[in-house]
Amino acid sequence: MSKKYFYITTAIAYLNGSPHLGHALEIIQADCIARFYRQLVKDVVFQTGSDEHGIKIFNAAKESRMNVEDFINQYHEQFIRLYKILNVSHDYYVRTTSSVHKRGASKLWLKMVENGDLYKSTYKGFYCIGCESFKTSKELVDGICPYHPNRPLIEIEEENYFFNLSKYVNRLIEIYEKDEIRIVPKKRKAEILAILKSELTDVSFSRQKNKMPWGIPVPNDPSHVMYVWADALSNYITNIGYEYDEDKFNSIWPADVHLIGKDIIKFHAIYWPAMLISAGIKVPKNLFVHGFVTLEGLKIGKSLGNVIDPFFLIEKYGSAPFRFYLLKNIPSNDDGSFNVDNLIETYNSALADQLGNLILRVLSFIERDFNGEIPALHDLDKIDEEFIRKFNFMEQLRNFMENFQLNKALDRVWEFIRDTNKYINDTEPWEIRKRGNIKRLSTVLYVLVEALRVISIYIHPFIPSISDKMFTFIGLEPLMDFSNVDFKTDTKGRIGKKEILFPKMQLEKKKNPLQMYDFRVGKVLEAEIHPEIKDFYILKIDIKEKIITVCAKLVPDYKKEELIQEPLVVLTNIKPRKIGGILSEGMLLGGKGSNEKMEIARIKGEPGEQIYIGDLEPMPETITMKRFRKAKIYSSSQKIKIEDKFLKTKSEFARINLKDNVKLT
Ligand code: ME8
């Protein structure tokens, strides 16, 4: 079978942590493109997935004292849940721990062996676990990985399989000079050509299993596992039939678009095509490289710890406004900063004022003046004809989408929404009603219903749930294909029930970061020694609204009797995490005394009583352990301070038996 499908992929996320805003951006962009091409009546295959091997995940699971499968499965569930609430329409989800993937990756490996491109040699050098990448000195800045400045590099010296990358350098240069693989934006292509034209050496493509066991065994040599990028990149072919269905594979491959972030371009633009050429497989057509969502100028990523939780944002602002904001305000080809005030402003002006009001205005007229029946079209005036000519701007839209300028495409759609608002303001249907010219009113409203129908089609790739709702409001069959964007003269029907889609949002008062904590008085009801980690207690703590489990490293410093019935300071909104298989839902505050004994913070009060930081009103949000570790919490005159404020209930200070300035954790 020959190629039939438009095939778009995203990077597959590492399952070493919860999804962050960067993941949300990437999947939304990919979903928007996939939906756009479906509406162009193309057969689309949209694949995403997860990258589940490698030392980063292996170490993170070890740190959480979990077995690796359970560790990755918890994050896998979170990614699936995120994609569901974001309305992501992927056709396939590939997991690199699946047998179909492993078989495909092994076949690809063997093809590269057949072509003489994998050989054994000794690797000696640095490795960045954050990037899962062997680093040359040129890639480091002052000996530090620019993407993961907080993570020390590890030194590796071991015999590995090497991939004969240098053999393909000239061919790759030719590919990019002739745009056989198109890289968007162009500046990224220049970046890749520069790397290719500098000295590029062969790359280590395996790890010794006794040093890093969590990977796919190298075929015919189980003492090695594949290098995680060799394994991960092959996901793009393994799941679509490479090893198990040649016809299917040929109908989907080569990929039309690999959508990736800017930090992983080298793997996709250099390693991946070289691997494919080595194995005699066609190279992909386009690499669409998006920038980073930043937060006050910082890259958001798991390893930097400044994750913004997309679940929280979606719950607070809604899935469609969140999609809309990321697509509209983050330039598709460049970095963009995420800002909640900006999200609210964009929502209020574009969604509430321009789109939401437009829908309500038109539908209210039809309800009131035509009893809910879509009015008939009579003679068109010049003003109507001019407006109708604006309905079809597919050529411009296609052009933006083909160049992956999703934000510009969305702006173009909004231009039409503004044109529609202008049409209402210029035709003044309320004045026509006053004049009693029913025929004219009928025509203007007919044109407006048509405009709403066409808007519903155009917005579908960006905010599909709103598009679906708009179709139910206007009571028409949702014919989403772009062939329907021209003005039709025979639309008939009754409008459905309307609702307010976008109630106005208030800009938020600036929150002091210290307001995020939710400290409570907690009374220990039970204490048991942790069955797996002997220096931990499993405590059951009463915080009034519920009894929570907290794992705390207090053995042998505290006897059970010293804890039971004691009111302690408990942080209740730390992200629950498993400690030795037990879910710990809170944290006690403590610090080490001069004799290395752990001292814990106590406070007089009733279970559940709020503990304040100075006079700040708590506005809790889930706190990750990484974020918590950065907090400046310390002892001061046997009390506890966070930054410059004391921790206290309305009447009592929290106390701790430590000299001044001991950091509490
Ligand atoms: O890189 N803004 O996984 P990952 C926008 N497993 N995008 C971001 C971002 C940010 N702040 N941070 C990360 C991996 N990304 C590999 C991919 S593909 C064969 C293997 C993007 O979970 C990042 O650039 O670290 C990548 O495209 C995707 O999120 C997954 O990142």
Side-chain angles (χ1 to χ4, degrees):
M1 201 197 242
S2 57
K3 180 159 163 81
K4 166 170 184 250
Y5 291 95
F6 177 92
Y7 180 35
I8 173 165
T9 67
T10 66
I12 51 173
Y14 287 122
L15 294 189
N16 67 323
S18 302
H20 55 62
L21 265 183
H23 293 121
L25 173 78
E26 183 167 305
I27 200 79
I28 292 170
Q29 288 182 334
D31 186 59
C32 174
I33 298 169
R35 287 178 185 273
F36 183 85
Y37 281 94
R38 289 195 196 106
Q39 287 180 245
L40 279 177
V41 205
K42 294 216 190 267
D43 290 319
V44 172
V45 170
F46 168 20
Q47 173 171 287
T48 184
S50 41
D51 193 351
E52 308 190 353
H53 289 128
I55 192 156
K56 176 148 71 173
I57 289 174
F58 186 69
N59 283 355
K62 245 193 335 198
E63 269 169 36
S64 309
R65 301 180 193 238
M66 284 175 81
N67 83 44
V68 195
E69 280 92 352
D70 290 346
F71 181 79
I72 54 184
N73 283 340
Q74 65 179 347
Y75 294 121
H76 174 248
E77 278 165 25
Q78 291 187 17
F79 274 90
I80 296 292
R81 189 154 58 85
L82 178 69
Y83 295 170
K84 191 153 185 237
I85 57 180
L86 281 176
N87 227 330
V88 176
S89 64
H90 55 286
D91 302 288
Y92 293 133
Y93 186 102
V94 56
R95 301 186 67 171
T96 56
T97 48
S98 65
S99 60
V100 71
H101 171 77
K102 289 185 198 164
R103 286 201 307 273
S106 304
K107 173 172 166 181
L108 180 65
W109 181 280
L110 286 171
K111 287 276 176 212
M112 292 161 68
V113 172
E114 247 173 58
N115 204 26
D117 287 335
L118 289 167
Y119 63 91
K120 268 189 172 171
S121 179
T122 298
Y123 179 81
K124 185 172 180 332
F126 290 103
Y127 191 84
C128 170
I129 296 182
C131 298
E132 288 278 19
S133 174
F134 301 94
K135 294 281 176 184
T136 60
S137 51
K138 267 189 272 168
E139 289 169 310
L140 304 175
V141 179
D142 298 330
I144 290 173
C145 168
Y147 286 111
H148 300 95
N150 300 340
R151 290 183 86 135
L153 298 163
I154 54 170
E155 226 175 327
I156 292 184
E157 180 170 0
E158 63 186 44
E159 189 182 52
N160 292 153
Y161 284 92
F162 272 65
F163 174 45
N164 198 348
L165 183 63
S166 36
K167 177 169 150 191
Y168 295 102
V169 167
N170 287 337
R171 173 70 187 116
L172 288 172
I173 292 177
E174 183 187 48
I175 283 179
Y176 291 113
E177 281 179 343
K178 292 187 178 158
D179 285 333
E180 287 174 50
I181 301 174
R182 188 173 67 123
I183 303 184
V184 180
K186 279 216 166 62
K187 65 176 177 190
R188 304 283 173 210
K189 162 174 156 181
E191 221 172 80
I192 288 302
L193 277 168
I195 300 179
L196 285 168
K197 288 177 181 172
S198 67
E199 292 148 65
L200 203 63
T201 52
D202 291 350
V203 280
S204 169
F205 243 40
S206 72
R207 293 295 314 275
Q208 285 188 8
K209 193 169 172 125
N210 57 5
K211 302 212 172 104
M212 209 303 284
W214 187 241
I216 302 179
V218 165
N220 306 324
D221 188 351
S223 64
H224 285 256
V225 299
M226 291 179 196
Y227 169 42
V228 64
W229 273 101
D231 159 352
L233 287 163
S234 61
N235 89 83
Y236 299 128
I237 59 172
T238 58
N239 195 49
I240 54 159
Y242 174 59
E243 190 268 342
Y244 66 91
D245 186 342
E246 200 178 328
D247 272 357
K248 175 174 176 177
F249 180 61
N250 290 331
S251 69
I252 300 175
W253 190 259
D256 293 272
V257 181
H258 285 321
L259 177 51
I260 55 166
K262 66 177 184 181
D263 57 333
I264 56 174
I265 178 167
K266 189 177 95 181
F267 304 101
H268 284 80
I270 299 180
Y271 294 14
W272 178 228
M275 289 163 70
L276 290 167
I277 301 167
S278 167
I281 303 170
K282 286 184 191 152
V283 295
K285 296 184 187 172
N286 292 287
L287 272 183
F288 169 24
V289 188
H290 62 79
F292 274 146
V293 195
T294 58
L295 196 66
E296 292 154 22
L298 289 172
K299 176 196 155 190
I300 294 161
K302 284 170 283 209
S303 26
L304 286 182
N306 59 339
V307 183
I308 280 206
D309 180 7
F311 292 106
F312 169 78
L313 293 166
I314 295 165
E315 172 139 1
K316 189 147 184 205
Y317 302 108
S319 169
F322 179 76
R323 269 182 80 115
F324 180 78
Y325 174 73
L326 286 180
L327 289 169
K328 182 164 165 43
N329 285 43
I330 307 291
S332 314
N333 292 330
D334 226 323
D335 293 348
S337 98
F338 186 93
N339 175 309
V340 167
D341 286 349
N342 194 222
L343 183 153
I344 294 174
E345 278 159 11
T346 307
Y347 168 94
N348 281 341
S349 81
L351 290 176
D353 289 346
Q354 289 165 3
L355 181 58
N357 269 350
L358 169 69
I359 301 169
L360 288 183
R361 280 166 100 182
V362 175
L363 296 182
S364 307
F365 265 108
I366 297 177
E367 258 169 18
R368 186 179 142 172
D369 295 273
F370 297 92
N371 201 17
E373 203 73 39
I374 295 177
L377 172 66
H378 302 282
D379 296 340
L380 290 170
D381 282 359
K382 189 159 163 260
I383 187 170
D384 311 324
E385 278 164 354
E386 270 169 15
F387 175 50
I388 287 166
R389 272 199 290 280
K390 296 182 175 159
F391 274 40
N392 189 337
F393 49 90
M394 276 313 295
E395 210 179 299
Q396 286 170 41
L397 207 55
R398 252 185 113 127
N399 192 29
F400 285 134
M401 292 302 283
E402 275 163 12
N403 288 300
F404 307 119
Q405 294 170 311
L406 312 186
N407 51 325
K408 291 199 177 157
L410 185 51
D411 284 344
R412 181 60 191 87
V413 171
W414 241 256
E415 191 182 318
F416 181 61
I417 292 173
R418 283 194 300 272
D419 285 340
T420 311
N421 277 310
K422 183 167 183 310
Y423 174 76
I424 298 199
N425 293 341
D426 291 349
T427 50
E428 300 183 316
W430 51 92
E431 294 296 331
I432 307 176
R433 175 201 282 149
K434 269 194 213 151
R435 290 198 299 272
N437 187 345
I438 293 298
K439 262 188 159 179
R440 180 68 194 138
L441 186 61
S442 170
T443 298
V444 167
L445 287 169
Y446 179 90
V447 172
L448 283 166
V449 169
E450 271 296 285
L452 289 187
R453 181 183 65 77
V454 169
I455 289 169
S456 315
I457 299 173
Y458 280 129
I459 63 170
H460 191 259
F462 305 92
I463 37 175
S465 60
I466 302 300
S467 156
D468 294 344
K469 279 202 171 153
M470 277 181 69
F471 266 110
T472 62
F473 292 174
I474 53 178
L476 294 173
E477 196 189 342
L479 299 173
M480 290 297 178
D481 295 354
F482 284 127
S483 56
N484 292 301
V485 295
D486 286 310
F487 180 75
K488 292 185 184 169
T489 52
D490 56 354
T491 296
K492 286 193 179 58
R494 275 194 74 76
I495 61 169
K497 216 168 139 14
K498 67 175 190 299
E499 60 186 275
I500 294 179
L501 283 177
F502 308 110
K504 276 274 179 81
M505 286 192 216
Q506 292 292 326
L507 278 179
E508 289 178 17
K509 284 202 206 110
K510 279 276 169 272
K511 180 169 162 183
N512 181 328
L514 294 183
Q515 289 177 279
M516 71 180 171
Y517 298 98
D518 193 359
F519 285 106
R520 301 291 175 119
V521 179
K523 201 177 249 181
V524 179
L525 301 179
E526 287 171 29
E528 289 303 328
I529 293 195
H530 196 300
E532 286 190 18
I533 324 171
K534 297 294 177 209
D535 50 358
F536 271 69
Y537 281 117
I538 303 172
L539 306 172
K540 298 279 178 210
I541 301 183
D542 180 6
I543 55 165
K544 189 159 179 223
E545 66 198 45
K546 57 182 175 180
I547 293 169
I548 59 170
T549 303
V550 174
C551 298
K553 192 175 174 188
L554 294 174
V555 186
D557 296 337
Y558 282 84
K559 299 205 186 73
K560 283 186 195 173
E561 310 80 78
E562 291 175 280
L563 296 169
I564 287 182
Q565 290 302 321
E566 281 295 311
L568 304 175
V569 176
V570 188
L571 179 62
T572 59
N573 63 331
I574 191 104
K575 192 169 178 185
R577 66 213 185 283
K578 280 198 173 165
I579 299 183
I582 306 283
L583 193 69
S584 181
E585 303 165 287
M587 263 193 62
L588 302 181
L589 275 188
K592 288 223 166 126
S594 47
N595 51 2
E596 282 299 292
K597 177 179 182 267
M598 180 60 87
E599 292 289 342
I600 48 175
R602 300 166 185 277
I603 191 158
K604 284 191 188 146
E606 288 306 311
E609 212 177 319
Q610 186 76 54
I611 303 175
Y612 297 88
I613 300 173
D615 52 5
L616 295 173
E617 200 52 48
M619 292 169 68
E621 61 188 80
T622 305
I623 297 172
T624 59
M625 201 55 206
K626 271 193 182 136
R627 198 154 170 205
F628 177 74
R629 284 206 189 101
K630 290 189 185 151
K632 290 193 193 110
I633 311 185
Y634 56 96
S635 52
S636 173
S637 349
Q638 305 240 310
K639 300 193 205 70
I640 296 168
K641 265 188 169 176
I642 301 196
E643 291 183 6
D644 58 341
K645 298 184 195 305
F646 281 109
L647 217 55
K648 56 181 182 25
T649 62
K650 292 265 188 241
S651 55
E652 297 284 340
F653 283 100
R655 302 199 174 262
I656 194 154
N657 190 15
L658 289 172
K659 62 180 188 337
D660 281 2
N661 288 322
V662 178
K663 182 165 166 45
L664 308 187
T665 50

